[in-house]
Amino acid sequence: MSYWKDKVVIVTGGSAGLGLEIARAFSGAQAKVVIAARNPDRLAATVDQLTTRSQDLSGIATDVTNPNDVQRLIDNTIAKFGRLDVLVNNAGKSDRGRAISTSPDTFRELLELNFLGPVNCIQAAMPHIIKSQGHIISIGSLASKTASPFLGAYPASKFPIAAYSQQLRLELGPQGVHVLLVCPGPIKRDDAGQRYDQRTADLPASAKKPAGGAKLKSISPRLLAAKILRASELRRPELIVPKRARWLFAISQLWPACGDWIVRRKTS
């Protein structure tokens, strides 16, 4: 029997990309899945696509930066299924640009979505997650652990997720809640290398590439989704893909100048 059978899962940003594959993976594992996304049309199309596999799947249009939307998402999920076992904080946005040229408004926008969005969702969901001794899964990035050049406001908006996840592990672990931080490298997508053409006109050519030109192989979102489910079943604290990135994180903490040299070499 699947570990996830009949567990209730919310996936934010679940209408495309990695979020879609996470929703698909949980649905395939016999979980009851609620997909949250901002675009109602895309959300409806995604639900139609996935309900051919499972009838225990629905969508709720949600802006995670709006606390009222988030509370409605949680309330409707509880009203329909009576419980909540897993919250996947996947909604987010990347960026490109020089840090010094990135406006405070852009930093504010990305912090609202990439960090405060998950905070809104976690706080609203927590009473139910504690009751079920369930899982909080937050999709960070390699940029949650180390910055790279020309990523605009993105690293600053992803770093807080790592600290917040650690705090939650320390505070909620004794109550049986599992907290997983996922830090992936570049994820395969159809528009990779073209998304930031306008934003990168005055930047090095590498800046428009996935992960800002980091010399890493792109990750299959379907494979990453499977790894996320497995890491959650094992109640691991972190999932870093590729694993060798851990060496960079350790070196950067112990020898920042050496870490900077490695980052420059791997993104040039």
Side-chain angles (χ1 to χ4, degrees):
M1 180 183 295
S2 169
Y3 173 86
W4 302 107
K5 182 175 173 56
D6 293 332
K7 286 184 167 59
V8 179
V9 181
I10 291 176
V11 181
T12 70
S15 63
L18 177 60
L20 170 59
E21 294 303 333
I22 293 172
R24 191 195 308 274
F26 273 115
S27 179
Q30 300 178 293
K32 300 175 181 178
V33 179
V34 177
I35 298 174
R38 284 190 291 189
N39 187 313
D41 293 336
R42 180 180 287 181
L43 177 60
T46 299
V47 171
D48 286 344
Q49 174 187 348
L50 294 184
T51 48
T52 59
R53 300 162 54 94
S54 170
Q55 296 306 309
D56 286 326
L57 189 142
S58 58
I60 299 176
T62 307
D63 179 352
V64 298
T65 68
N66 184 329
N68 292 329
D69 268 20
V70 170
Q71 191 61 58
R72 179 172 53 82
L73 168 67
I74 302 302
D75 290 346
N76 287 356
T77 299
I78 296 301
K80 181 171 183 176
F81 295 114
R83 59 182 294 152
L84 177 59
D85 300 279
V86 184
L87 170 65
V88 182
N89 294 300
N90 174 73
K93 180 180 178 181
S94 188
D95 193 27
R96 291 295 185 274
R98 289 183 170 86
I100 196 64
S101 303
T102 302
S103 70
D105 285 343
T106 300
F107 276 100
R108 191 173 295 111
E109 177 190 356
L110 263 71
L111 280 165
E112 285 282 350
L113 178 57
N114 291 348
F115 175 54
L116 294 178
V119 172
N120 289 335
C121 293
I122 289 168
Q123 290 191 349
M126 193 49 61
H128 308 288
I129 297 290
I130 289 175
K131 185 176 180 180
S132 66
Q133 294 190 322
H135 305 259
I136 297 291
I137 303 169
S138 293
I139 308 302
S141 165
L142 296 185
S144 297
K145 297 285 191 174
T146 188
S148 294
F150 310 122
L151 294 186
Y154 186 65
S157 71
K158 281 295 189 178
F159 253 74
I161 288 290
Y164 187 52
S165 294
Q166 184 178 12
Q167 283 184 279
L168 293 175
R169 290 200 308 267
L170 294 171
E171 294 174 7
L172 299 173
Q175 299 180 62
V177 175
H178 168 239
V179 179
L180 173 66
L181 172 65
V182 182
C183 295
I187 297 171
K188 287 181 182 176
R189 49 185 298 153
D190 294 338
D191 60 352
Q194 302 166 6
R195 304 167 64 201
Y196 302 104
D197 283 351
Q198 292 183 334
R199 301 286 299 277
T200 58
D202 64 338
L203 299 177
S206 61
K208 70 173 62 178
K209 296 179 180 178
K215 296 172 183 176
L216 295 168
K217 183 179 179 181
S218 293
I219 304 162
S220 160
R222 188 162 296 189
L223 177 60
L224 180 57
K227 288 179 179 289
I228 290 168
L229 264 65
R230 182 59 177 162
S232 298
E233 290 175 25
L234 298 174
R235 302 182 83 87
R236 290 176 175 163
E238 289 188 346
L239 173 63
I240 295 173
V241 183
K243 288 183 179 180
R244 67 179 183 277
R246 291 179 178 273
W247 289 105
L248 172 59
F249 304 154
I251 290 168
S252 295
Q253 287 292 310
L254 294 171
W255 300 287
C258 184
D260 289 354
W261 178 82
I262 294 171
V263 170
R264 289 193 188 99
R265 186 167 177 265
K266 292 294 185 181
T267 56
S268 61

